[in-house]
Each structure stands twice: as C-alpha cells, then as structure tokens.
Amino acid sequence: EVQPVESGGGSVLPGGSLRLSCTASVGTFAYSDVAWYRQVIGKPCELLSTISDDGTTYYAGSVKGRFTISQDNVKKTVYLQMNNLSLEDTAVYYCAAVTDPNVAGPCQLNFGFGYWGQGTQVTVSS
C-alpha cells in the first residue's frame, strides 16, 4: 500500500510556474504507475500526465509542452513541473498510484481505484 500526499499548490499569475510534488508518505511508488489529474467543478476528472516505473511518460494534449512529470531516484516522490500557466489551469490537482490511469466522471468517483492523494489547489489569477 502507498499513501500519496500532494504539495506545492498555490496561487500564481498567468504565465507563471509551479512545481507540484507527490510524495509517498507510506510505501514507495516502486512498481507503480503514478498519474496526475485535475478537477474543475462541473467537469470530468482530467488525466494530465503519467509516469511508469521504467520512466515512460504520457502527457495529455492540454498540457504537453508546458508540464513535465519526473520522479526521484528512490521512487518516493513524483513531480509535476507546470510552466506557462493559464486561467484554464485553475483546478484541484491530484496524484494517484494506479494500475489503470483512465478515469470517468469526477475524480472523487475514482478514489477507490488505486491510491489517491487529498489534492492540492492551483489557482491561476491576475
């Protein structure tokens, strides 16, 4: 079992950057795929990026070229570097250790599939 904890959210101006961290407070992310999602109220949960145990990465079209996912060498922390943020990036961001990163509906409906963190708010505002 692994317990992810997100950190690094906050408020930023348009065009700014933030780095989110997803740390395994219990266990490690070894042998797990880790995914970053975001939730905007009234919209479905959006898969943003994944990183597999062997380092293979995936990015959704909405963030490709702006966001970068990475992990530390001991598989305890996964990062999401977010650059050139826009108003549309405002959301609650979640990380999760999952076997299947696909989700449906609001993020909360998927909490039973894999191990999810509590979320961190990112607000992009001028």
Side-chain angles (χ1 to χ4, degrees):
E1 178 178 338
V2 60
Q3 293 185 10
V5 177
E6 302 95 339
S7 61
S11 296
V12 64
L13 295 172
S17 299
L18 282 175
R19 189 176 79 158
L20 304 183
S21 298
C22 175
T23 300
S25 63
V26 174
T28 71
F29 293 124
Y31 312 112
S32 296
D33 292 349
V34 178
W36 282 99
Y37 303 86
R38 66 186 176 192
Q39 178 71 64
V40 175
I41 294 175
K43 292 188 176 181
C45 189
E46 183 182 9
L47 172 64
L48 302 176
S49 182
T50 65
I51 187 164
S52 64
D53 186 55
D54 66 0
T56 302
T57 59
Y58 160 83
Y59 296 96
S62 59
V63 304
K64 196 169 187 177
R66 300 190 300 127
F67 291 11
T68 303
I69 193 169
S70 62
Q71 61 186 357
D72 66 6
N73 292 334
V74 294
K75 306 293 178 71
K76 288 286 285 186
T77 302
V78 172
Y79 304 98
L80 188 68
Q81 177 67 42
M82 307 187 297
N83 298 329
N84 194 23
L85 288 163
S86 69
L87 301 180
E88 291 72 28
D89 294 313
T90 295
V92 177
Y93 285 69
Y94 297 93
C95 71
V98 294
T99 54
D100 180 353
N102 295 303
V103 290
C107 290
Q108 286 186 326
L109 290 183
N110 300 274
F111 284 179
F113 302 97
Y115 299 95
W116 288 66
Q118 81 289 349
T120 186
Q121 176 71 44
V122 171
T123 301
V124 184
S125 173
S126 57

